[in-house]
Amino acid sequence: MSALQHARTVAKHAALDSWYYVFGVHPFTSLQRAPAPIVRAFVRANYGSRLQHYYLASRTGPPVLFIHVPKCGGTSVGRALGRPHVPHVPAYAFHVADAASFNRAQSVAIIRDPLDRLLSILRHFGHSIFAGSDEKHRYVTLGLQDNPHEAARRYLADAAFRRELMRGTNGGRVGFTVSQVDYLGYKGQCLVQTLFILEQMPQMEAWLSDALGQPVSIPWVNKTSDSQPPLPADLVALAREAWPADYRLWEHVQAHGGLLQQATGLPLSVSS
């Protein structure tokens, strides 16, 4: 990355982070309700033509586009695809930037149990290979290591705690706060063609091998989901209240064996 590209990335992250700290919601979520001209202006300003770089050529069919939802195994998939740093960009950004390229591509994403994802987000601050020193310090000072379930309760119930957790983190980390459906859909409809749940990574590996026309082996990288005790019922209830659309989608894909094809157009409820 050139010095100019780095400076642009830092500036973009600072703008997105500042929006979150002021309004308590990430722009990726806010734009779900914004008029189309504002969304187009945001995508042009933040990404320009750079999104074309993330389409992967296939030997046997249309290009493949992997939508990286944070803390859903995307780092491992990116490494397998020769892209160690796949950015967290919502599907609608690709669609708005170039609808023809997006619609022609084989788009795919991984989702996971929303509460399990939150616990993985919290563990990121202490255990991720990408966690910075400030983030590891926050992991200790905010007591995330003492009682993960209590930390999850605070995250779900206390907006001030969420802001404090994200304040001073590495640039772009506030993208963790965006719901899964807001990464995958736009205006209440899924844009991504194929969805997997995290537990079906072997199926994802086989799908990518077939879609790209070459063998793909997915290593497990940046794993922060160590074995955990059973989840308390009250905590699950809080998570369901916070992310009802994420739960509906995850359970729908799970009911289809962990793989849902032809998901484009599937009704979604954007996050509240």
Side-chain angles (χ1 to χ4, degrees):
M1 180 182 293
S2 69
L4 179 59
Q5 288 174 321
H6 178 72
R8 285 174 175 170
T9 298
V10 170
K12 181 187 74 173
H13 285 164
L16 296 177
D17 293 358
S18 296
W19 180 283
Y20 174 77
Y21 297 137
V22 171
F23 298 106
V25 64
H26 195 282
F28 289 173
T29 297
S30 300
L31 289 168
Q32 290 283 350
R33 299 167 181 81
I38 293 178
V39 178
R40 287 194 295 269
F42 172 86
V43 171
R44 283 197 301 268
N46 279 274
Y47 304 110
S49 62
R50 298 192 302 279
L51 295 181
Q52 286 292 333
H53 172 69
Y54 299 107
Y55 290 89
L56 298 168
S58 169
R59 295 178 180 177
T60 57
V64 171
L65 177 63
F66 174 60
I67 302 299
H68 185 185
V69 180
K71 305 313 295 179
C72 290
T75 299
S76 299
V77 174
R79 293 286 175 90
L81 299 176
R83 303 288 178 86
H85 301 291
V86 181
H88 304 134
V89 179
Y92 68 76
F94 291 94
H95 187 267
V96 168
D98 187 342
S101 293
F102 181 85
N103 293 334
R104 185 170 59 250
Q106 303 178 79
S107 53
V108 62
I110 302 173
I111 61 175
R112 74 188 295 181
D113 176 303
L115 181 52
D116 187 45
R117 177 176 179 249
L118 171 58
L119 292 170
S120 181
I121 287 171
L122 296 175
R123 287 191 294 271
H124 157 89
F125 291 91
H127 301 290
S128 171
I129 60 175
F130 300 118
S133 57
D134 288 346
E135 293 174 323
K136 292 180 178 179
H137 179 69
R138 263 175 165 61
Y139 185 75
V140 175
T141 58
L142 293 178
L144 301 185
Q145 83 283 13
D146 298 330
N147 188 331
H149 290 169
E150 184 57 33
R153 286 188 185 90
R154 292 180 64 193
Y155 183 97
L156 291 166
D158 187 349
F161 177 77
R162 292 194 293 272
R163 282 191 177 93
E164 180 59 27
L165 175 64
M166 295 297 168
R167 192 177 302 280
T169 59
N170 290 358
R173 202 71 80 209
V174 295
F176 284 176
T177 66
V178 180
S179 71
Q180 297 178 79
V181 296
D182 284 346
Y183 272 104
L184 302 174
Y186 184 60
K187 302 294 186 184
Q189 287 195 322
C190 185
L191 294 174
V192 180
Q193 292 177 356
T194 303
L195 301 174
F196 290 87
I197 61 172
L198 182 62
E199 293 78 7
Q200 295 297 342
M201 194 69 87
Q203 280 186 271
M204 173 72 163
E205 190 174 81
W207 185 92
L208 284 171
S209 298
D210 182 65
L212 292 169
Q214 57 185 339
V216 173
S217 178
I218 301 176
W220 200 264
V221 181
N222 196 31
K223 182 179 180 181
T224 56
S225 299
D226 299 326
S227 59
Q228 296 292 315
L231 298 173
D234 69 305
L235 183 55
V236 175
L238 280 174
R240 284 185 175 278
E241 183 179 353
W243 301 301
D246 277 12
Y247 267 101
R248 283 194 294 270
L249 180 62
W250 176 71
E251 289 170 344
H252 185 65
V253 178
Q254 189 179 45
H256 283 75
L259 162 61
L260 182 63
Q261 302 190 70
Q262 299 179 340
T264 303
L266 183 73
L268 302 172
S269 298
V270 296
S271 63
S272 58

